[in-house]
């Protein structure tokens, strides 16, 4: 039985992402994990960073990958499924590579649950739209939006992965101390890893030319941009010798 596109859930899901992004900016508080974890929070309410990141990110890979796996093989060459494959590639890395390498602090279960629900919903929204609703012309692969979008996605993913590598090298296993990140885009901004992921999702929105992807890119900009701002402020307070020319998220500008 074929699945027909239902526009109402797509619009509702996209609107929810946009509203969540706006709320993040209005609250202006960093999510309480990593360096912002409440020290008084009971140890029993936390998971190791590796387990938490794996469980949180898994739905963003498993849900759209499951949707893709259920499609006839002949569809895998179509733009919609190729684009969804990019989405899956990002979350494959986040789930099976980043989570196993991270050296972050123990993760509050409450934030894990919120992240799990978000990743489940967003994975379903992006996968459902691209497979059952999106319609692309045969020449979409040569469209400038697709070409530029995929380029930005790959560029952003490369920046994100390289920046995460730099951050991991700042600590030895078991350490919880903070050092000033150096190299790569950290030369110019405090949130180089966040900037990379924001570029990814802007590229994804451009390549898919879809409302759900645009809403997710907006949410990512709000959530990660705010986190970069708080990271920058944290570094300035902690290190007297922190580079004064370094910005929070956008080189030279912000």
């Amino acid at each position: 039985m074929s699945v027909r596109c239902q526009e109402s859930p797509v619009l509702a899901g996209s609107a929810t992402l946009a509203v969540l992004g706006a709320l993040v900016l209005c609250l202006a508080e960093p999510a309480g994990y990593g360096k912002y974890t409440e020290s008084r929070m009971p140890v029993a309410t936390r998971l190791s960073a590796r387990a938490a990141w794996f469980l949180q990110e898994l739905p963003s890979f498993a849900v759209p990958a499951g949707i893709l796996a259920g499609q006839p093989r002949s569809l895998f060459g179509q733009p919609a499924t190729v684009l969804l494959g990019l989405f899956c590639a990002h979350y494959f890395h986040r789930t099976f590579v980043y989570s196993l390498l991270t050296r972050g602090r123990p993760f509050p279960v409450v934030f894990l649950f919120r992240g799990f629900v978000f990743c489940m919903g967003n994975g379903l929204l992006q996968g459902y739209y691209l497979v059952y609703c999106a319609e692309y012309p045969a020449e979409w692969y040569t469209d400038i939006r697709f070409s530029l979008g995929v380029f930005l996605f790959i560029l952003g993913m490369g920046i994100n992965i390289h920046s995460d590598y730099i951050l991991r090298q700042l600590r030895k296993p078991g350490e919880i101390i903070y050092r000033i990140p150096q190299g790569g885009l950290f030369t110019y901004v405090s949130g180089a890893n966040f900037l990379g992921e924001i570029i990814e999702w802007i590229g994804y929105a451009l390549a898919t030319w879809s409302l759900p992807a645009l809403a997710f890119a907006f949410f990512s900009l709000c959530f990660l941009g705010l986190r970069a701002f708080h990271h920058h402020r944290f570094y300035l307070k902690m290190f007297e010798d922190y580079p004064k020319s370094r910005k929070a998220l956008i080189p030279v500008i912000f």
Side-chain angles (χ1 to χ4, degrees):
M1 182 177 68
S2 61
V3 178
R4 293 184 178 180
C5 174
Q6 300 293 327
E7 292 187 0
S8 296
V10 171
L11 293 174
S14 301
T16 299
L17 280 177
V19 170
L20 287 175
L23 283 175
V24 164
L25 288 185
C26 290
L27 294 174
E29 293 293 334
Y33 63 89
K35 57 174 60 70
Y36 309 108
T37 301
E38 182 62 57
S39 60
R40 293 168 294 179
M41 187 174 292
V43 175
T45 64
R46 309 181 201 178
L47 278 181
S48 71
R50 292 181 177 181
W53 279 108
F54 175 82
L55 293 173
Q56 175 181 281
E57 304 293 293
L58 182 59
S60 283
F61 169 75
V63 172
I67 294 175
L68 274 179
Q71 303 310 302
R73 290 183 178 274
S74 61
L75 289 179
F76 275 82
Q78 294 186 5
T81 49
V82 170
L83 290 165
L84 187 55
L86 292 178
F87 185 89
C88 290
H90 170 89
Y91 281 106
F92 178 89
H93 174 266
R94 297 292 290 183
T95 303
F96 298 103
V97 179
Y98 173 82
S99 67
L100 299 180
L101 296 175
T102 186
R103 296 174 180 173
R105 291 171 175 266
F107 205 96
V109 173
V110 62
F111 291 103
L112 163 61
F113 177 76
R114 292 178 188 175
F116 182 91
V117 172
F118 177 88
C119 288
M120 177 76 76
N122 187 50
L124 180 61
L125 174 64
Q126 305 300 332
Y128 176 84
Y129 175 81
L130 283 175
V131 170
Y132 299 115
C133 300
E135 296 181 3
Y136 295 102
E139 62 274 13
W140 188 250
Y141 284 129
T142 59
D143 191 289
I144 184 62
R145 290 167 290 183
F146 177 86
S147 302
L148 180 58
V150 171
F151 170 77
L152 289 174
F153 182 90
I154 295 173
L155 174 65
M157 189 169 181
I159 292 171
N160 180 249
I161 292 173
H162 181 248
S163 300
D164 283 338
Y165 171 79
I166 291 175
L167 290 174
R168 281 197 304 273
Q169 302 312 303
L170 295 177
R171 286 180 185 166
K172 297 177 181 179
E175 284 188 336
I176 310 180
I177 62 174
Y178 291 100
R179 297 186 177 94
I180 299 175
Q182 304 286 356
L185 279 184
F186 283 113
T187 305
Y188 309 102
V189 295
S190 299
N193 50 331
F194 303 129
L195 176 59
E197 189 164 349
I198 289 170
I199 291 172
E200 266 189 270
W201 297 126
I202 289 175
Y204 182 72
L206 185 60
T208 62
W209 205 247
S210 70
L211 183 60
L214 177 62
F216 182 42
F218 173 73
F219 173 84
S220 298
L221 175 62
C222 296
F223 184 84
L224 299 176
L226 182 64
R227 199 155 181 86
F229 169 76
H230 284 291
H231 272 37
H232 184 66
R233 192 167 64 175
F234 174 88
Y235 285 132
L236 286 173
K237 289 181 179 179
M238 174 162 278
F239 301 106
E240 292 184 0
D241 59 340
Y242 195 72
K244 303 304 180 185
S245 61
R246 192 177 296 189
K247 300 298 182 180
L249 184 67
I250 304 174
V252 181
I253 299 174
F254 171 73

